[in-house]
Amino acid sequence: DGGITQSPKYLFRKEGQNVTLSCEQNLNHDAMYWYRQDPGQGLRLIYYSQIVNDFQKGDIAEGYSVSREKKESFPLTVTSAQKNPTAFYLCASRETGGFLYEQYFGPGTRLTVT
Amino acid sequence: DQQVKQNSPSLSVQEGRISILNCDYTNSMFDYFLWYKKYPAEGPTFLISISSIKDKNEDGRFTVFLNKSAKHLSLHIVPSQPGDSAVYFCAASGNNNDMRFGAGTRLTVKP
């Protein structure tokens, strides 16, 4: 069945290490997104991609990097330059070609950096 | 600069009554607005949306109202049910396919 998968559900890393979060979708959506949620906060846009090999910075891109080599995949790397990496990370995808489409979200990855 | 704002962090209503959740936006380029429902440690799920060419969209117990001149939208849930208790996010998108979210409102429906 179609959907968005994020793995793992929980991820632990030591400070100073880069870590890559996985996001895969089989919905054939062109657009994919990464958000970060902190406790009691809303979803803040990190990066988004409208098409393969293209992506744009969101509101809080510093300390993060992405790639979009395949339509199905949009991995997010949290680099050691990110000052407060511990958060709940959500990936989403969306059909394009018109703007009246909602996003579908994955289950999220909770990253803890100590 | 937060482009989508939900100024009420929480709302509590009695079962059977109306819940009204509010959202304001600042970017006049937004032309598509959505409401999502979210439970802890899960991804948001889509509830209802409205395009800028409309001022109202209804789906069962859920109605979204859009006031473009005021850059304001609201979600009405009537009648409210205990199962509606969750965090509700307002989101807005422009023609560049970005999507910005508000901070969320935690709705509690008391039996």
Side-chain angles (χ1 to χ4, degrees), chain A residues 9 33 35 50 59 99 103, chain B residues 32 36 41 97 99-100:
Chain A
K9 182 75 172 175
Y33 306 76
Y35 293 89
Q50 299 186 66
D59 298 322
F99 59 83
Q103 287 173 317
Chain B
Y32 183 48
Y36 287 83
N97 283 313
M99 186 79 73
R100 259 64 179 193

Side-chain angles (χ1 to χ4, degrees), chain A:
Chain A
D1 51 333
I4 301 177
T5 57
Q6 291 183 248
S7 59
K9 182 75 172 175
Y10 299 95
L11 190 54
F12 298 88
R13 280 295 182 268
K14 294 287 188 184
E15 192 173 331
Q17 292 180 336
N18 290 355
V19 59
T20 298
L21 281 60
S22 164
C23 178
E24 304 279 332
Q25 55 100 359
N26 61 3
L27 300 167
N28 200 35
H29 288 168
D30 283 315
M32 296 187 73
Y33 306 76
W34 274 105
Y35 293 89
R36 165 183 175 141
Q37 186 183 23
D38 295 283
Q41 302 289 318
L43 279 63
R44 291 186 290 168
L45 182 63
I46 304 172
Y47 268 100
Y48 68 105
S49 167
Q50 299 186 66
I51 196 169
V52 173
N53 292 323
D54 184 58
F55 46 84
Q56 289 79 40
K57 292 182 179 180
D59 298 322
I60 55 165
E62 185 176 350
Y64 299 96
S65 65
V66 293
S67 63
R68 187 85 187 277
E69 297 176 2
K70 298 187 299 182
K71 188 175 186 178
E72 303 79 19
S73 179
F74 191 40
L76 173 75
T77 297
V78 185
T79 75
S80 57
Q82 169 50 234
K83 299 301 181 188
N84 297 295
T86 295
F88 186 55
Y89 290 88
L90 284 159
C91 178
S93 71
R94 183 187 188 199
E95 197 170 339
T96 59
F99 59 83
L100 300 181
Y101 299 112
E102 71 271 23
Q103 287 173 317
Y104 291 81
F105 281 84
T109 292
R110 182 165 300 281
L111 172 65
T112 302
V113 177
T114 57

Side-chain angles (χ1 to χ4, degrees), chain B residues 20-59:
Chain B
I20 300 176
L21 295 92
N22 293 301
C23 177
D24 297 291
Y25 62 95
T26 58
N27 188 340
S28 58
M29 298 304 291
F30 288 148
D31 50 16
Y32 183 48
F33 305 89
L34 309 91
W35 285 94
Y36 287 83
K37 180 179 181 180
K38 187 181 183 299
Y39 295 109
E42 294 182 6
T45 54
F46 171 73
L47 267 179
I48 192 168
S49 64
I50 189 167
S51 75
S52 58
I53 62 173
K54 293 186 173 183
D55 55 16
K56 177 183 175 181
N57 188 27
E58 191 172 354
D59 184 3

